[in-house]
């Protein structure tokens, strides 16, 4: 990971304090299949040292976790990622990244408690890992945006093709992002906030 985690510098830091002007806080979850960049996104955008629960991958995952497109991956999230970003002087987002490996998905229930919305990260080399993630969000009625993460050797498809492959309704916003880039990760979260805002002001779209 190219960002400091909570173990690197122990103890409270001045920059970790909540801005005094913050009036509202919103919980957002970052979800997606194994290795799509969830921890990277939370780490790149967080204004506090992100809390991560990365553990070294072991042989336990052999034959269970598909490493296609993530062959060099050595660590995986076993509980959650946590970060914070101030959208403006009044609004603070608390970010919770979920574990990607299906055997840790039982933890999702707690992580989703009180969440207003979700970012679903997608890797176009492994779209199939996103199906069950999206199903679970739809079952829970959590509004979400889909962010296509830019991996260098990932095929670039028009958004509408990806929408159709994922069977996503027209009203679900889709964006491209590079989870390593702070500005890009921030834009992705802004897309979610703007979508959540539109849901409160517009008549509910027709859902199947
Ligand atoms: N090129 C490129 N690499 C990325 C991007 N996002 C993440 N990566 C790399 O992909 C690997 C996996 O990223 P993680 O952030 O650990 O993925 P994750 O979704 O948290 O993985 P799990 O917690 O194991 O499910 C890391 O080596 C990242 O550096 C991206 O936008 N572009
Ligand atoms: Mg992770």
């Amino acid at each position: 990971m190219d960002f400091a985690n909570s173990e690197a510098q122990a103890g409270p830091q001045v920059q970790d304090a909540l801005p005094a002007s913050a009036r509202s806080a919103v919980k957002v979850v970052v979800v997606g299949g194994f290795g799509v960049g969830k921890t990277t996104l939370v780490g790149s955008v967080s204004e506090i040292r992100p809390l991560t629960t990365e553990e070294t991958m072991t042989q336990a995952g052999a034959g269970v976790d598909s490493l296609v497109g993530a062959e060099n991956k050595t660590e995986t999230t076993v509980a959650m990622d946590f970060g914070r970003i101030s959208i403006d002087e009044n609004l603070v987002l608390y970010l919770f990244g979920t574990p990607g490996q299906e055997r840790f998905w039982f933890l999702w229930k707690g992580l989703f408690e009180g969440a207003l919305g979700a970012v679903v990260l997608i890797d176009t080399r492994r779209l199939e890992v996103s199906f069950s993630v999206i199903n679970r969000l739809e079952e829970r009625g959590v509004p979400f945006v889909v962010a296509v993460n830019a991996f260098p050797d990932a095929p670039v498809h028009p958004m509408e093709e990806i929408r159709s492959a994922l069977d996503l309704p027209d009203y679900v916003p889709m964006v491209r992002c590079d989870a390593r880039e702070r500005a890009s990760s921030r834009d992705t979260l802004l897309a979610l906030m703007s979508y959540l805002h539109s849901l409160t002001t517009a008549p509910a779209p027709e859902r199947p």
Side-chain angles (χ1 to χ4, degrees):
M1 295 289 123
D2 56 359
F3 50 86
N5 68 24
S6 51
E7 287 167 13
Q9 286 173 287
Q13 307 283 308
V14 175
Q15 64 270 28
D16 293 350
L18 193 61
S21 58
R23 294 281 172 270
S24 35
V26 168
K27 178 177 176 180
V28 163
V29 284
V30 180
V31 296
F34 175 56
V36 294
K38 302 175 292 295
T39 301
T40 306
L41 185 142
V42 173
S44 74
V45 83
S46 181
E47 65 201 9
I48 56 170
R49 293 156 305 143
L51 166 77
T52 61
T53 58
E54 295 290 276
E55 290 293 341
T56 304
M57 286 164 52
T58 66
Q59 275 306 103
V64 179
D65 307 316
S66 164
L67 285 175
V68 177
E71 293 85 355
N72 298 326
K73 201 164 152 54
T74 55
E75 293 192 316
T76 189
T77 304
V78 294
M80 64 177 219
D81 308 304
F82 175 73
R84 191 189 78 202
I85 175 176
S86 303
I87 293 296
D88 57 32
E89 57 184 18
N90 296 319
L91 177 62
V92 167
L93 300 191
Y94 286 110
L95 306 174
F96 289 78
T98 56
Q101 297 189 48
E102 291 207 27
R103 72 185 107 113
F104 298 126
W105 282 14
F106 66 92
L107 291 164
W108 278 38
K109 197 160 174 261
L111 287 176
F112 272 78
E113 203 90 12
L116 228 59
V119 170
V120 181
L121 271 180
I122 300 284
D123 177 349
T124 54
R125 295 167 299 181
R126 297 176 295 130
L127 270 189
E128 68 288 351
V129 300
S130 315
F131 293 133
S132 43
V133 173
I134 289 171
N135 281 344
R136 293 187 82 172
L137 287 174
E138 286 173 339
E139 275 165 24
R140 285 164 191 268
V142 179
F144 61 92
V145 299
V146 168
V148 181
N149 199 7
F151 288 93
D153 50 344
V156 180
H157 300 293
M159 282 300 208
E160 283 319 302
E161 274 181 27
I162 301 175
R163 181 185 293 283
S164 145
L166 292 173
D167 204 13
L168 284 177
D170 287 341
Y171 58 79
V172 174
M174 296 185 71
V175 293
R176 291 191 195 277
C177 82
D178 185 330
R180 298 164 305 173
E181 299 289 333
R182 183 187 182 87
S184 179
S185 299
R186 192 169 194 275
D187 286 348
T188 302
L189 292 168
L190 289 175
L192 174 64
M193 296 319 289
S194 155
Y195 178 49
L196 294 177
H197 185 253
S198 75
L199 293 179
T200 63
T201 51
E206 268 183 44
R207 292 165 195 265

